[in-house]
Amino acid sequence: MIIGSILKTKGSEVFSVGPEDTILSVARSLTERRIGAALVRDAGGALLGIISERDIVGGMASHGPGTTGLKVEEFMTRDLVTVTPQTHVTHALALITHRRVRHLPVLDGEGRLCGMVSIGDLVKARIDEAEQEAEALKAYVAAAG
């Protein structure tokens, strides 16, 4: 299975924030939307990074009290780990494990944003795929027997 298959079901909408947004506003938005990360984009839509719950907690631990008024650009991760719609789910899972991230922006061959997948999306896709394989094997065995 490839990432593009996940996006067909999930959709391509991605929540984004600006680098000048405050940590408090982003934390509230993540909580309201029940998501763990948002892409950081400039006014023109260019991808600058990602801000995750982990970034926020780490920034608060480093900066101490008063961090909620600080800007996203001070906490965000700039070194993005990305995939394409053609990336296999197993490869994406390996990236997430190796790079210790939970979200992967999906970029097309020209670097345009197509969506974003989370570790939950990838695990669900693998489970669905394994269940389909098991059903196919059961049907094969039943037909052969």
Side-chain angles (χ1 to χ4, degrees), residues 11-23:
S12 60
E13 183 181 339
V14 178
F15 177 65
S16 299
V17 298
E20 297 296 316
D21 290 349
T22 65
I23 293 301

Side-chain angles (χ1 to χ4, degrees), residues 4 8 18 25 44 58 72 78 80 99 105 110 120 126 134 137:
K8 283 181 185 173
S25 70
V72 166
R78 296 171 194 278
L80 290 173
R99 296 293 299 271
E110 297 176 18
R126 279 298 290 143
L137 283 172

Side-chain angles (χ1 to χ4, degrees), residues 58-81:
M60 292 178 85
S62 297
H63 291 84
T67 56
T68 58
L70 296 177
K71 307 271 187 250
V72 166
E73 64 190 350
E74 296 179 53
F75 287 34
M76 71 183 192
T77 298
R78 296 171 194 278
D79 181 25
L80 290 173
V81 181

